[in-house]
Amino acid sequence: MTETNTPGHSRRLTKAHKLSVAGVATLGAAALAFSLVPASAGEASTTVATAPVAWSKVVDSAQTQAMQQHLTVQQVVAGQQAKVAQDAKAAKDAAAKAKAEADAKKDRDQKAAASRSATRTPVFANNLDGWIKEALFIMKREGIPGTYAGIHKNIMRESSGNPMAINNWDINAQNGIPSKGLLQVIAPTFKTYHVKGTKFDLYDPVANIVAACNYAADRYGSMDNVNSAY
């Protein structure tokens, strides 16, 4: 069947077509206008939109830097404290080592001195001969003059060699200070002329001899010069 184009119908189609074309044109213009927005306007819009994101990054960066600085300071302080503690421990260890070495040296010196003393000091018999010889050994060390013969002579006259002898009848006894021991020494004289290193005992034979010889050296020059009661 052949379609007949009537004028009225043709006008309606033409009008519809015009409307369609106008709509498409309008849409195209809008699309073109959207696509032709200036770059500056787009950048401004983007800048405004992204500004909060950039500020957040700045804040985060500052916080990170502050934290890093804080950690660095803590590390430095911790290192300094560790060094101080290490130095203190080293000083303490050095002091302890020095003390131990000093104590060890003192102990060695004491043992050496005791050994030398034992070597130098002879053993004396516990009798009159040994007492006189030991007294002479001490007197030599102290610079007190006297000889074996001079000491022995006076001992035999004063006490007959009895270390416990006591005179209860002479003037000293009458005064309450009797003479005692091998060389008949009174207590005040013994106290004044006692020699350090001997017993502080009038009846001790060695201490009695040394004190008496010390007194005789002061009064007569030597026990060798004493030939009677003194």
Side-chain angles (χ1 to χ4, degrees):
M1 180 177 179
T2 302
E3 185 176 346
T4 303
N5 292 326
T6 60
H9 181 71
S10 176
R11 284 194 300 269
R12 285 195 299 268
L13 289 177
T14 300
K15 185 177 180 179
H17 287 174
K18 288 181 179 180
L19 290 175
S20 296
V21 170
V24 169
T26 301
L27 292 175
L32 180 61
F34 181 79
S35 64
L36 293 178
V37 173
S40 58
E43 288 175 357
S45 176
T46 302
T47 301
V48 171
T50 58
V53 177
W55 174 249
S56 176
K57 288 182 179 180
V58 170
V59 172
D60 290 343
S61 177
Q63 290 177 342
T64 301
Q65 185 177 4
M67 180 62 70
Q68 289 176 345
Q69 290 176 348
H70 178 67
L71 292 175
T72 301
V73 170
Q74 284 186 327
Q75 290 174 349
V76 171
V77 171
Q80 291 174 343
Q81 291 176 340
K83 186 176 185 307
V84 169
Q86 184 178 7
D87 292 345
K89 184 178 183 302
K92 183 178 180 181
D93 292 344
K97 182 179 179 181
K99 184 178 184 302
E101 291 177 350
D103 291 343
K105 183 178 183 301
K106 182 179 179 180
D107 185 59
R108 290 194 301 270
D109 291 345
Q110 289 177 341
K111 288 180 179 179
S115 178
R116 290 193 299 269
S117 178
T119 302
R120 291 195 304 267
T121 304
V123 177
F124 301 99
N126 188 26
N127 54 33
L128 181 59
D129 178 69
W131 299 332
I132 296 174
K133 288 180 178 177
E134 185 174 354
L136 285 168
F137 179 83
I138 296 170
M139 289 164 59
K140 181 179 180 181
R141 185 186 68 200
E142 300 294 330
I144 301 171
T147 64
Y148 185 98
I151 294 171
H152 187 272
K153 174 187 67 175
N154 282 283
I155 287 176
M156 296 311 294
R157 185 187 68 251
E158 294 292 332
S159 66
S160 300
N162 178 11
M164 302 304 294
I166 181 171
N167 186 325
N168 288 315
W169 54 267
D170 66 4
I171 187 63
N172 290 323
Q174 293 174 21
N175 291 331
I177 48 173
S179 302
K180 300 177 181 179
L182 289 177
L183 284 168
Q184 292 294 281
V185 183
I186 62 174
T189 300
F190 180 80
K191 181 178 180 180
T192 300
Y193 290 95
H194 172 260
V195 174
K196 186 178 180 180
T198 63
K199 293 182 179 179
F200 196 80
D201 180 2
L202 257 175
Y203 289 110
D204 180 79
V206 175
N208 187 283
I209 293 172
V210 175
C213 289
N214 194 24
Y215 165 73
D218 188 40
R219 287 291 299 274
Y220 308 104
S222 171
M223 182 61 76
D224 294 351
N225 300 329
V226 178
N227 297 301
S228 62
Y230 63 108

